[in-house]
Amino acid sequence: MADLFSADWMAAFADHWNAEDDLTGPLGDIGFNSVIGYGFPDDDQPAGVLVVENGKAVSGGAYNGEDLNWDIRASADQWNKWIAKPPGMMGLGAAFTTGKMKFKVGDYGSMLKDPRMAKPFIKSFSVMGKV
């Protein structure tokens, strides 16, 4: 398996993202377009980036200075726990409030209040487990 959030890992994540109708369908229905960075709290920039257009991942790779709509950070240990056992809404809420998950860019609160975005966000963790 490639290193977490490496270019190869992110490309595989994009492929698995697009194979998941429970992710692409609801996001496509709301016209979700975003550039999402993934990484670790102490790094200056995210390690990987996923570009989503109308719910589908159009690219995944190493972060290369893209303007981000979301920048999600957690420790490698925490990411690996979520990949092994995807969290639910309560687990993600607790992770956010305790600082285990940080959003350097993006409004976590507004996303959670919109079930059209919250459910796919939670689903994205189970997709990570397929990489």
Side-chain angles (χ1 to χ4, degrees):
M1 179 170 95
D3 289 337
L4 185 62
F5 306 134
S6 68
D8 290 341
W9 194 96
M10 292 302 297
F13 180 44
D15 290 342
H16 287 288
W17 177 291
N18 288 336
E20 186 58 60
D21 291 338
D22 288 341
L23 194 53
T24 60
L27 292 176
D29 290 346
I30 63 170
F32 183 80
N33 299 307
S34 277
V35 179
I36 308 166
Y38 296 90
F40 311 104
D42 296 331
D43 292 349
D44 291 336
Q45 60 189 28
V49 66
L50 185 73
V51 179
V52 179
E53 293 179 4
N54 288 318
K56 293 203 180 261
V58 295
S59 68
Y63 177 72
N64 195 29
E66 295 88 350
D67 287 333
L68 300 170
N69 301 104
W70 301 91
D71 183 353
I72 308 166
R73 307 292 183 95
S75 70
D77 285 347
Q78 189 62 59
W79 281 118
N80 286 321
K81 286 178 187 174
W82 288 327
I83 288 168
K85 185 178 182 213
M89 185 68 76
M90 299 270 299
L92 286 178
F96 179 72
T97 58
T98 61
K100 290 181 180 177
M101 172 186 284
K102 297 181 189 308
F103 282 74
K104 292 208 171 196
V105 177
D107 183 357
Y108 179 75
S110 69
M111 183 262 299
L112 280 187
K113 291 176 187 170
D114 185 347
R116 301 172 307 161
M117 289 178 59
K119 287 181 182 179
F121 179 63
I122 291 167
K123 184 68 176 177
S124 71
F125 289 90
S126 65
V127 173
M128 286 180 182
K130 296 177 180 181
V131 177

